Amino acid sequence: MIHLSRPSAPGGGPPPREQEDHVVQFHVNSGVTVSLQVGDSVRVVKGPMTVPMVPTAGRPSQPPIPMPVQVPVGHVVHQIMDESGQLRHVILSPQRAPEQRQPAPNEYYHAYYTMVPPNVSIPQPPPPRAADDRYRVQRDKMKRRLEQRQGCSSTTPATSPTKKTLPRKTKEMPSSTPPASPASPGLQLSICDVAQTSANLSWAAADTASVSGSEDSGVAEPPPETSTTMYQLSIGKKGKEHKILYFGTDLGFQLDNLHPGTEYSIRLAAVLAGEGGSASCTEYLSFSTLPAPPSTPSQPRLAGRTKTSLTLKWSSCANGGAPLTAYILEMCDVADGQWQPIYKGREKQFTISKLQAGAPYSFRLAAANALGESPFCDPQTFNTQEPLPPTPNPPRLAAPALPDRLLLEWDRTEVADIYKLEQAEELVPSGPAPSFYLVYHGPECRFESQSLQPASAYLYRLKVEANGQCSQPSPPARHITAPAPPLPPARPQLKGRSQPFSLRLVWVPPLHTGGAPILAYKLQIDQGKGFQDVWSGPGCEAVINELAPGYLYQVRVAAINAAGISNYSEVAHLTTAAAAPEPPIWSRKQQPPSTHAVTLHWEPPAFDGGAPVHQYEVEVADEHSRWQAYKGTEPFCVAAGLQAANLYHFYVRAANAAGLGPWSVELPLQTAVAPPAVPEPPSVEVSEDRAAEFSWQPLATAATYGLQLALLEEPSSEPQYKEEYSGQESSCQVVNLAPGSTYLARLQGLNSSGAGPFSTPVVFCTPVSIPGAVAHAPHCASLKSDGSSAQLVVTFEQPVHWGGDSQGPHSFQLETIPFNPEQNPMKTEETTVKLDLQLESTYRLKVRAVNSKGPGPYSPVLKITTPPPPPPAPSLTLLAAQPRALRLGWELDKDTSIILEMRRSELHKFQIVYEGCEKRHKVTQLKKNTEYQFQTKAVGPGGESAPSEIFTFRTKPEPICLPANLKFVETSSSSVLVSWQAPPEHKSRLQLGNSRHGPFTMVYEGMDCQYELTSMTVNTEYWVRASLTLGSEEGAWTAPAVSCIAAKVAAEPLTRPAQAAAAPAVERRARSRALSEEQKKAAILIAFLLMSVVLAVFLARTVTM
């Protein structure tokens, strides 16, 4: 009998969750009967049957492992564990081998599960003291035995009962590779109906001959007649451990609760019960489930919040086998209850801003992949932070400050419940920050701070409390207790000697400061306009600057503290010392110096130093020495005995009772000099490149020189001199002289006194040279084309000069590139040339002048491109012909236009009817059925082509119109008068038929426009149509029109006049027809449906609003 017990959690509750995985399946095969004791009851179980076993109550929750057990005589036990070494299945089967073996008395182990023979009572040993250590030692021993058995043959007999286990991972084998196992060729596993979360497995019954790996149990017992084959399925994800999913005798299994889009590997093993552990297995088979939309994500969680924003985070969810494309976050305002999407992306965090403070918001989350979106998770509600109370204004003084107390007050706020007033003593700026402490906590808006130090500064700040939250403190308010003004200080005294521009004063501090330190002293001075502030600051010493020398001043001082300013001290009378005068100022208008004397003028000093000026001194300096030129009381003097044409520097200074003042700024003046004398004529050397070199003897009194040239064109004319050089050098070069010309040259000396006389003119001639260049490129006067060649007319200018060759001959050479043997180079005496050039070619033209010395340089190049040949005239095609118009078409190349000409006959001239770049044109205002002749010309960059061949086209004749305004008028009960309108000279025809589609019979043909139909039957429709003829031409028939005497039904004409005539007849026929009962019912039903739709739309809009 097997004893089983159900463990329970403390308190009688269900077993702990960690013990749910420690379940061993006990399989009883066919032919075996066992007794199971569950609690106090005994249950008899007959095989085949599977019974789950759980750990014994009170035992530590440790994974079960295979271990030796005692079995009934004639039976064998198979213990199967998974890849992690945990025991999962125990199979009890009859022993097939004839050998018997008596188990040893101690060959059992009682730890988690108790297995005993029937009717044998085995006492349960006490629990071990070190269960964990024994479990670890036993597990290691079992693992070593399993590893040893894996290296041996599966048919090796054993002396003890066999425990068949599945291969498990070793340290050398990677976790993603399933363990190798011999595959059975007779065992086949089939996978079908693979869905997103399920798959169907099926296999055929295994042949007992194909199951290998049997072991002898050592018990001498006859084999049973039948043996049971057990099947074991192990499954695992790619790269993870495989677990046993099923163990039983069925030939199929439904896989459920799979993950979508996941690759699985599965293996089937067959175990032959009763054969001592015989087993075989298949290879690992892989399959992948179909992908699906993602699973529902978890609720978002709050990562942070403020008054106007919420930051949410969420975890990843199962992607359903396809990569996630986005997370969808929706928000619902609790006030309106409407969900709105606010985020869609791959991030797992989002901040929602612009929210209301203290308001609740609900959020829900969904995930999406390529196959769709997951359901939204359950809504989660979060609240933004409540707004803090507004920052109050700083406290203010309610009454003037006193030396030992301050009365403070502040504004009352509506949201505030409690006010907090904090106080701190003001520290020095470089010291630590002030430490505020609470001095008032209550609902009042006024507080008197007492026991304060006089003339001391205190800082106060205010906070308000509302709804359990405290506002930010107000800006600190600085308030000072009232001090007393100090006593006046002593009278100021002069320190040291009196200075001309300043006074250094000292005084004694007041005897009493008024309870507050002296902050500053204020010094006032009277300069004759009353006392004015001149200095303020700390200390008992001051310097008053910017005073006038030799002046009497009155000075007084007062002390200042926090309470105010004291009375002024006694007045001190002080006088500044006199100072030397400032330098005199030179007059701006000085007389020009003579050659040996200079008259000087100056202005008195702007400040005399507090004493009158009684003397002036003037000194003169040159390059070598400095001497006194004047000493007196007048502000002017004459400095004589100077050298001519020499530079002198003059200085002046003033003197008073205090002494001599500083020298003025220097006044540089130069004595006058005489103009230079007549220079010697310059020497000239003329070169072949039209340049002349001039040189002359220097003059001692000349500072610069001027050289002038005159072109002597006629001996009798007055020469016109032009200055070519001005400088200090005694030589120069003049270039670009006219060739073959006579020049006059003269020299002049200049200095500060003026210009001297000119020298005697020097005559020289320049040699004859080649002509100068033509300044500009040839000008294209005209460029025309006659179809075979281009005629170019160019003009050019005269050269800059002809090289001084007045005798001649003078000519031009015109060169054309590319070279033309017949015309290149062209010699001519004219400035206009006509050239014949090839069409569609590019030429470069340049010209040069030629005299007796040879050709001159070429002019700039004229680049010109001749036009291409004119394009061929296009051919005309008649696109459409009308009675008064012809539509013509043609083909044109790019940058080509067409001229279309027309004439009526050979007696007329061709006239242009179209000119442009279009490829078709409609010629209008033509006569019908008339021939016209056309010809074309093509106009392109190469000009206008010759006329094309003559094309003749004819307009169409004008078609005969339809009869208009077909009308029916009843003349009697059996006749109808038919009338219509037709143009003059047209014959009318009228046909009558019984239906719209005929047949029709001719009833009238003549020149009249009316006809009376007689012998007509009442309430019978007659169809009438009409047409016109002109000569041998016949017009088209009108659309058949219906006529009925009783119903007066109108026709359905083709033309608009016939429609207007037939409309009243159609209306009369419609009114004459009565509605049937079925039509009335249908009309009522349609009206009812329309009313229902309108009412539903109105109600829906009302509910929405």
Side-chain angles (χ1 to χ4, degrees):
M1 183 172 60
I2 298 176
H3 300 270
L4 301 178
S5 61
R6 299 179 179 177
S8 60
R17 181 175 298 271
E18 55 269 18
Q19 295 183 1
E20 292 181 0
D21 295 335
H22 301 166
V23 178
V24 179
Q25 302 292 336
F26 180 68
H27 305 275
V28 181
N29 285 341
S30 180
V32 179
T33 302
V34 295
S35 298
L36 302 177
Q37 182 175 356
V38 183
D40 298 335
S41 61
V42 178
R43 179 182 176 185
V44 179
V45 178
K46 295 182 179 181
M49 190 174 183
T50 300
V51 179
M53 297 195 305
V54 297
T56 306
R59 295 291 182 180
S61 178
Q62 297 176 351
I65 60 175
M67 52 190 62
V69 297
Q70 185 176 2
V71 298
V73 178
H75 295 76
V76 65
V77 171
H78 303 272
Q79 301 186 40
I80 301 176
M81 64 179 182
D82 59 9
E83 297 180 356
S84 61
Q86 298 183 12
L87 183 64
R88 292 297 184 184
H89 300 275
V90 176
I91 306 173
L92 179 62
S93 304
Q95 189 172 6
R96 188 181 65 177
E99 300 180 359
Q100 295 184 358
R101 183 182 66 86
Q102 186 67 25
N106 296 331
E107 196 174 358
Y108 70 93
Y109 190 81
H110 186 275
Y112 274 81
Y113 309 95
T114 305
M115 303 179 184
V116 297
N119 303 326
V120 177
S121 177
I122 298 178
Q124 181 175 350
R129 296 181 180 178
D132 295 341
D133 296 340
R134 186 180 63 183
Y135 166 76
R136 184 165 52 255
V137 172
Q138 188 67 20
R139 183 186 61 185
D140 297 341
K141 184 187 299 183
M142 198 66 189
K143 286 185 178 180
R144 286 194 298 271
R145 294 179 61 184
L146 290 175
E147 292 174 357
Q148 293 175 2
R149 289 189 179 186
Q150 288 179 358
C152 302
S153 174
S154 60
T155 58
T156 303
T159 58
S160 60
T162 305
K163 295 171 284 296
K164 187 66 176 181
T165 61
L166 292 175
R168 62 184 180 87
K169 295 187 298 182
T170 61
K171 293 183 179 180
E172 294 77 15
M173 186 181 301
S175 61
S176 60
T177 305
S181 178
S184 174
L187 191 61
Q188 299 293 333
L189 177 62
S190 177
I191 304 174
C192 60
D193 298 337
V194 179
Q196 296 175 347
T197 59
S198 63
N200 289 328
L201 305 178
S202 61
W203 56 86
D207 189 6
T208 57
S210 63
V211 180
S212 62
S214 62
E215 295 182 5
D216 194 1
S217 62
V219 181
E221 189 71 21
E225 298 178 359
T226 60
S227 59
T228 302
T229 301
M230 307 295 291
Y231 299 97
Q232 174 182 296
L233 288 174
S234 58
I235 189 172
K237 295 182 182 178
K238 183 178 180 180
K240 295 186 178 181
E241 296 182 356
H242 288 66
K243 297 183 180 180
I244 297 176
L245 182 65
Y246 168 76
F247 190 86
T249 58
D250 295 338
L251 300 180
F253 186 74
Q254 173 73 28
L255 292 176
D256 295 320
N257 299 326
L258 301 179
H259 295 286
T262 305
E263 183 179 357
Y264 290 90
S265 60
I266 191 168
R267 184 176 67 175
L268 176 67
V271 179
L272 187 62
E275 294 224 357
S278 300
S280 64
C281 60
T282 63
E283 296 288 343
Y284 279 98
L285 300 180
S286 298
F287 70 95
S288 299
T289 55
L290 300 179
S295 60
T296 303
S298 59
Q299 291 179 331
R301 59 185 183 276
L302 183 65
R305 64 178 178 178
T306 62
K307 293 186 294 184
T308 59
S309 64
L310 292 172
T311 301
L312 303 182
K313 290 185 178 180
W314 52 86
S315 303
S316 302
C317 64
N319 58 6
L324 293 179
T325 59
Y327 290 98
I328 303 172
L329 182 64
E330 291 188 355
M331 182 183 72
C332 173
D333 192 347
V334 178
D336 54 15
Q338 294 184 359
W339 291 95
Q340 296 180 355
I342 58 174
Y343 172 73
K344 186 175 183 180
R346 295 186 177 182
E347 300 295 334
K348 292 184 287 184
Q349 179 175 341
F350 183 70
T351 300
I352 306 98
S353 59
K354 298 182 180 180
L355 303 179
Q356 296 182 359
Y361 294 89
S362 297
F363 300 90
R364 62 182 184 182
L365 183 67
N369 60 9
L371 300 178
E373 297 180 0
S374 69
F376 281 95
C377 66
D378 294 335
Q380 184 75 5
T381 302
F382 302 104
N383 290 64
T384 55
Q385 288 184 354
E386 292 287 344
L388 295 176
T391 303
N393 295 326
R396 59 184 179 272
L397 288 176
L402 299 177
D404 60 343
R405 66 189 63 194
L406 292 173
L407 182 60
L408 304 174
E409 65 177 3
W410 51 88
D411 298 331
R412 181 179 297 275
T413 58
E414 297 180 357
V415 298
D417 299 333
I418 298 297
Y419 299 95
K420 291 183 177 180
L421 182 63
E422 296 179 349
Q423 174 182 304
E425 295 182 3
E426 186 180 33
L427 304 177
V428 294
S430 60
S435 177
F436 285 90
Y437 53 92
L438 184 65
V439 295
Y440 174 72
H441 184 273
E444 299 298 332
C445 296
R446 176 174 290 199
F447 175 73
E448 185 178 32
S449 180
Q450 301 179 357
S451 302
L452 303 180
Q453 296 294 329
S456 300
Y458 294 89
L459 300 178
Y460 295 92
R461 66 183 184 184
L462 185 65
K463 297 180 181 179
V464 296
E465 288 186 359
N467 299 325
Q469 293 189 355
C470 185
S471 69
Q472 296 292 332
S474 66
R478 182 175 180 271
H479 299 294
I480 305 175
T481 55
L487 296 177
R491 181 175 56 185
Q493 300 291 332
L494 182 63
K495 183 178 181 181
R497 295 180 60 184
S498 175
Q499 301 295 326
F501 302 99
S502 63
L503 293 175
R504 182 178 294 274
L505 306 176
V506 293
W507 57 87
V508 179
L511 299 178
H512 188 267
T513 61
I518 299 299
L519 302 179
Y521 291 91
K522 181 182 290 186
L523 190 65
Q524 289 187 344
I525 189 171
D526 183 7
Q527 302 180 4
K529 298 180 181 180
F531 284 96
Q532 296 179 356
D533 296 338
V534 293
W535 182 84
S536 179
C540 296
E541 182 176 346
V543 177
I544 305 176
N545 297 315
E546 299 179 359
L547 300 179
Y551 197 84
L552 177 62
Y553 292 95
Q554 297 181 7
V555 183
R556 65 181 183 180
V557 67
I560 302 174
N561 67 357
I565 186 171
S566 68
N567 295 327
Y568 282 94
S569 65
E570 297 180 4
V571 177
H573 301 273
L574 303 173
T575 303
T576 56
E582 292 183 353
I585 302 174
W586 292 109
S587 178
R588 294 184 179 181
K589 297 181 180 180
Q590 300 284 349
Q591 295 180 2
S594 62
T595 56
H596 301 286
V598 175
T599 303
L600 302 175
H601 295 269
W602 60 86
E603 300 292 338
F607 179 70
D608 60 0
V613 175
H614 59 82
Q615 186 177 337
Y616 294 99
E617 291 183 4
V618 177
E619 289 186 356
V620 183
D622 59 4
E623 296 180 355
H624 308 286
S625 62
R626 179 171 176 170
W627 65 94
Q628 188 177 47
Y630 172 76
K631 185 176 183 181
T633 59
E634 299 297 331
F636 60 89
C637 71
V638 176
L642 303 179
Q643 297 290 333
N646 197 4
L647 179 64
Y648 293 93
H649 299 274
F650 299 90
Y651 305 91
V652 62
R653 65 180 177 180
N656 62 1
L660 294 171
W663 291 104
S664 66
V665 295
E666 67 177 12
L667 175 63
L669 292 176
Q670 187 175 10
T671 55
V673 293
V678 179
E680 294 291 334
S683 60
V684 184
E685 293 183 6
V686 182
S687 61
E688 292 293 331
D689 57 350
R690 297 182 295 134
E693 293 284 345
F694 296 89
S695 60
W696 54 88
Q697 292 295 329
L699 295 177
T701 59
T704 59
Y705 302 91
L707 179 67
Q708 294 182 354
L709 299 181
L711 179 62
L712 189 61
E713 298 178 352
E714 295 180 4
S716 61
S717 63
E718 185 70 19
Q720 300 294 329
Y721 285 93
K722 180 181 179 182
E723 188 176 70
E724 297 291 341
Y725 171 76
S726 178
Q728 298 179 359
E729 301 294 333
S730 60
S731 62
C732 68
Q733 183 183 22
V734 180
V735 298
N736 295 328
L737 298 176
S741 302
T742 301
Y743 284 88
L744 297 177
R746 65 182 184 180
L747 184 66
Q748 182 186 34
L750 299 94
N751 59 15
S752 59
S753 297
F758 286 98
S759 66
T760 304
V762 177
V763 181
F764 67 94
C765 297
T766 57
V768 177
S769 65
I770 60 175
V774 179
H776 300 90
H779 173 67
C780 177
S782 66
L783 178 62
K784 298 181 180 179
S785 173
D786 58 358
S788 60
S789 63
Q791 290 78 34
L792 173 64
V793 178
V794 295
T795 61
F796 38 86
E797 303 172 352
Q798 294 286 343
V800 178
H801 59 82
W802 284 101
D805 186 7
S806 59
Q807 303 297 329
H810 298 161
S811 62
F812 296 92
Q813 287 186 358
L814 180 64
E815 183 176 356
T816 305
I817 303 173
F819 184 78
N820 188 350
E822 299 178 1
Q823 300 180 358
N824 202 4
M826 176 182 291
K827 294 184 179 181
T828 180
E829 295 181 0
E830 303 295 330
T831 57
T832 301
V833 178
K834 183 178 180 180
L835 301 175
D836 291 334
L837 305 177
Q838 296 181 0
L839 294 176
E840 203 171 2
S841 301
T842 301
Y843 293 91
R844 296 194 299 272
L845 286 77
K846 56 184 180 180
V847 66
R848 61 182 177 179
V850 181
N851 63 1
S852 60
K853 285 291 185 177
Y858 278 104
S859 67
V861 177
L862 169 65
K863 184 176 181 182
I864 190 167
T865 301
T866 57
S875 300
L876 291 179
T877 304
L878 180 62
L879 301 179
Q882 297 177 359
R884 297 189 181 276
L886 292 173
R887 184 176 292 275
L888 305 178
W890 54 84
E891 295 294 334
L892 280 180
D893 296 335
K894 187 178 180 181
D895 299 333
T896 305
S897 60
I898 187 174
I899 299 176
L900 179 63
E901 298 178 345
M902 180 191 73
R903 70 181 180 181
R904 185 171 181 181
S905 64
E906 296 181 356
L907 301 178
H908 299 80
K909 294 183 179 180
F910 279 100
Q911 297 180 353
I912 296 176
V913 295
Y914 174 74
E915 186 174 359
C917 299
E918 299 294 334
K919 295 184 179 181
R920 60 182 63 189
H921 180 68
K922 182 177 182 181
V923 185
T924 58
Q925 298 180 359
L926 305 179
K927 293 184 178 181
K928 61 182 178 179
N929 199 17
T930 304
E931 287 188 352
Y932 291 90
Q933 294 180 354
F934 296 89
Q935 70 178 11
T936 61
K937 296 180 182 178
V939 180
E944 181 179 309
S945 68
S948 67
E949 59 176 325
I950 297 176
F951 300 89
T952 303
F953 303 106
R954 176 182 291 274
T955 58
K956 286 186 176 181
E958 189 171 358
I960 299 175
C961 62
L962 294 174
N965 202 11
L966 186 63
K967 296 182 180 180
F968 302 93
V969 179
E970 294 183 11
T971 57
S972 65
S973 61
S974 62
S975 62
V976 174
L977 179 62
V978 183
S979 62
W980 61 90
Q981 294 179 359
E985 301 179 358
H986 285 68
K987 183 185 289 187
S988 301
R989 295 184 299 174
L990 198 66
Q991 288 185 352
L992 182 65
N994 295 330
S995 66
R996 179 182 180 88
H997 303 287
F1000 292 92
T1001 304
M1002 186 74 68
V1003 296
Y1004 171 75
E1005 184 173 0
M1007 299 300 294
D1008 295 336
C1009 292
Q1010 63 180 4
Y1011 179 75
E1012 186 176 4
L1013 300 176
T1014 60
S1015 303
M1016 299 181 67
T1017 307
V1018 178
N1019 290 334
T1020 303
E1021 292 182 349
Y1022 293 92
W1023 296 84
V1024 180
R1025 68 180 184 178
S1027 70
L1028 301 177
T1029 61
L1030 180 62
S1032 60
E1033 297 182 5
E1034 297 181 355
W1037 292 94
T1038 63
V1042 65
S1043 175
C1044 181
I1045 292 178
K1048 300 183 183 297
V1049 179
E1052 299 176 9
L1054 178 63
T1055 61
R1056 293 182 179 177
Q1059 291 177 358
V1066 175
E1067 293 175 0
R1068 289 194 297 271
R1069 184 180 63 178
R1071 287 195 301 268
S1072 64
R1073 294 180 180 177
L1075 296 176
S1076 62
E1077 294 296 332
E1078 291 77 10
Q1079 291 176 343
K1080 292 180 180 179
K1081 293 179 181 179
I1084 294 174
L1085 180 60
I1086 292 174
F1088 180 77
L1089 292 176
L1090 291 176
M1091 292 179 61
S1092 301
V1093 172
V1094 173
L1095 182 60
V1097 173
F1098 176 76
L1099 293 176
R1101 291 186 177 181
T1102 304
V1103 172
T1104 304
M1105 294 173 59

